[in-house]
Amino acid sequence: MEGVSFSLDDLPLRDDLRGLAPYGAPQARVPVALNVNENTHPIPDDVARDIVESVARAVLEVNRYPDREFTPLRDALAGYLGHGLTRDNIWAANGSNEVIQQLLQAFGGPGRSVLGFPPTYSMHSIIAAGTGSRWIEGVRDAGFAISPETAVAEIRRHAPDIVFFCGPNNPTGTPLELETIAAAYDATDGIVFVDEAYAEFMPTGQPTALTLLEGRPRLVVSRTMSKAFAFAGARVGYLAAHPAVADAMRLVRLPYHLSSLTQAAAVAALQHADEMLAMVDDIKEQRDRIMRVLTELGYEPWPTWSNFVLFGGVDDPGDVFRRLLEKGVIVRDLGIPGHLRVSAGTEAETTTFLDALRDIRLSS
């Protein structure tokens, strides 16, 4: 309305949300976007055809509500994960962020607290705030690690209702030891949540938190199809846990929260898991290449088990970010002093980034 001055501050917003900022990853359109840890590889043509055909069949029935229990998808996800899991152990939602939101709606909320270990995935604290859960910042060890002793000490210090881990950690790529998860579980009567969005990029054969689920009904492990499956735009996240956890999620989910089209696309993609995961090997190769060249250029990349590299030794991160952007490459300035983060892209994208950074380095 013209002539009326009105802003967010004038609305009767919840007091605990005042002053907060929304998730703010830049969405600049540039030739090489390596800032939000997407899988930049295109979906193979034959896989894309099967997904389109599956979605087309689902479109013929969109006049009806979708399968509220998304049973074929849960079966497919359980089969993909293995470890003796069945559909009863699986829950899915519109991206792992919605999985986290539902988890906090069920087990967090006003009067309850969530312990996290920054620097970590920024949406953890944002979703905690959105659900009225109190976010507590724990400390990490040197090198962004979390030892079992540190985790237990922080749990005893804060007595949280929920403990959040991210492994491999975003934005650092740091591995998370299984001993840390197990020790944290034994130290609390609450929920222990492990965000494994980047699990497929771990070293081949490396055990994940899924191996700890047996006998630990309060342990929850989340995954996503956004990264390894190049499915970021489809918004499919999921968790594995004791069946009672899925029952808790049913209490807070919106009715028919996963559309028929989403379910159809995800099931079709999972039928091509081997082909989709072949991209992961190439991404890991480009990630390791980035590590080598950054070291040669005098930067300090952190060890990573993810599809991105956090690197230090950047005198002016803001300036380097802007100069890369001018060259058509966007990375991520996370506000960590002296650091930037870059996603591993295709070979061509990685070459463009490394050449641009080399030019900037030599001209400094």
Side-chain angles (χ1 to χ4, degrees), residues 190-319:
I191 296 292
V192 175
F193 171 78
V194 183
D195 187 335
E196 283 197 338
Y198 301 94
E200 285 90 349
F201 301 96
M202 294 167 62
T204 302
Q206 182 70 32
T208 82
L210 294 173
T211 62
L212 299 178
L213 286 172
E214 182 68 32
R216 294 182 175 88
R218 293 177 286 104
L219 178 61
V220 179
V221 181
S222 80
R223 294 287 188 92
T224 180
M225 292 184 69
S226 293
K227 313 299 181 182
F229 277 82
F231 235 51
R235 311 307 302 131
V236 181
Y238 57 102
L239 65 74
H242 189 279
V245 172
D247 286 340
M249 305 295 263
R250 290 182 175 92
L251 299 176
V252 298
R253 59 102 177 265
L254 295 175
Y256 312 106
H257 70 290
L258 273 177
S259 79
S260 300
L261 307 186
T262 298
Q263 294 181 42
V267 169
L270 286 162
Q271 290 171 349
H272 292 270
D274 290 343
E275 190 172 353
M276 298 290 274
L277 292 176
M279 295 183 288
V280 169
D281 291 334
D282 182 60
I283 293 168
K284 290 164 68 174
E285 183 178 334
Q286 298 309 315
R287 175 198 67 195
D288 295 343
R289 176 187 171 204
I290 291 171
M291 296 274 290
R292 290 194 303 271
V293 175
L294 286 176
T295 301
E296 293 169 2
L297 292 176
Y299 293 106
E300 301 163 6
W302 288 91
T304 176
W305 282 7
S306 62
N307 70 339
F308 58 84
V309 178
L310 178 73
F311 59 101
V314 185
D315 293 335
D316 188 341
D319 179 64

Side-chain angles (χ1 to χ4, degrees), residues 152 155 163 165 179-192 212-213 215-220:
V152 170
I155 290 169
V163 180
F165 292 112
E179 292 79 7
T180 296
I181 301 168
Y185 187 92
D186 292 341
T188 179
D189 293 328
I191 296 292
V192 175
L212 299 178
L213 286 172
R216 294 182 175 88
R218 293 177 286 104
L219 178 61
V220 179

Side-chain angles (χ1 to χ4, degrees), residues 5-289:
S5 177
F6 200 84
S7 71
L8 178 61
D9 292 335
D10 298 309
L11 289 171
L13 190 68
R14 280 170 26 198
D15 289 340
D16 60 328
L17 294 182
R18 292 193 181 279
L20 298 183
Y23 181 78
Q27 287 191 301
R29 293 193 177 277
V30 295
V32 179
L34 302 175
N35 64 322
V36 287
N37 303 338
E38 295 162 322
N39 182 337
T40 64
H41 292 63
I43 291 178
D45 288 345
D46 61 321
V47 180
R49 281 194 297 271
D50 280 357
I51 292 172
V52 169
E53 290 173 4
S54 181
V55 171
R57 289 191 294 271
V59 165
L60 298 177
E61 298 181 359
V62 292
N63 59 310
R64 302 292 188 180
Y65 285 116
D67 173 8
R68 187 174 59 239
E69 290 297 305
F70 46 96
T71 307
L73 176 56
R74 287 162 58 220
D75 284 337
L77 289 168
Y80 167 68
L81 290 179
H83 295 282
L85 298 169
T86 71
R87 71 175 68 153
D88 294 335
N89 300 106
I90 304 299
W91 187 256
N94 294 285
S96 58
N97 286 332
E98 187 176 54
V99 170
I100 295 168
Q101 182 182 60
Q102 292 172 343
L103 187 80
L104 289 176
Q105 286 175 320
F107 299 105
R112 295 195 173 188
S113 60
V114 184
L115 172 65
F117 294 85
T120 193
Y121 181 39
S122 60
M123 282 304 300
H124 288 172
S125 59
I126 292 173
I127 297 172
T131 58
S133 311
R134 182 167 62 93
W135 177 256
I136 300 170
E137 295 191 351
V139 300
R140 286 180 176 265
D141 301 308
F144 301 118
I146 309 172
S147 69
E149 295 78 14
T150 293
V152 170
E154 291 298 286
I155 290 169
R156 289 175 177 168
R157 176 184 173 195
H158 298 289
D161 297 284
I162 308 173
V163 180
F164 267 31
F165 292 112
C166 189
N169 187 50
N170 178 13
T172 64
T174 313
L176 176 65
E177 300 297 333
L178 297 186
E179 292 79 7
T180 296
I181 301 168
Y185 187 92
D186 292 341
T188 179
D189 293 328
I191 296 292
V192 175
F193 171 78
V194 183
D195 187 335
E196 283 197 338
Y198 301 94
E200 285 90 349
F201 301 96
M202 294 167 62
T204 302
Q206 182 70 32
T208 82
L210 294 173
T211 62
L212 299 178
L213 286 172
E214 182 68 32
R216 294 182 175 88
R218 293 177 286 104
L219 178 61
V220 179
V221 181
S222 80
R223 294 287 188 92
T224 180
M225 292 184 69
S226 293
K227 313 299 181 182
F229 277 82
F231 235 51
R235 311 307 302 131
V236 181
Y238 57 102
L239 65 74
H242 189 279
V245 172
D247 286 340
M249 305 295 263
R250 290 182 175 92
L251 299 176
V252 298
R253 59 102 177 265
L254 295 175
Y256 312 106
H257 70 290
L258 273 177
S259 79
S260 300
L261 307 186
T262 298
Q263 294 181 42
V267 169
L270 286 162
Q271 290 171 349
H272 292 270
D274 290 343
E275 190 172 353
M276 298 290 274
L277 292 176
M279 295 183 288
V280 169
D281 291 334
D282 182 60
I283 293 168
K284 290 164 68 174
E285 183 178 334
Q286 298 309 315
R287 175 198 67 195
D288 295 343
R289 176 187 171 204

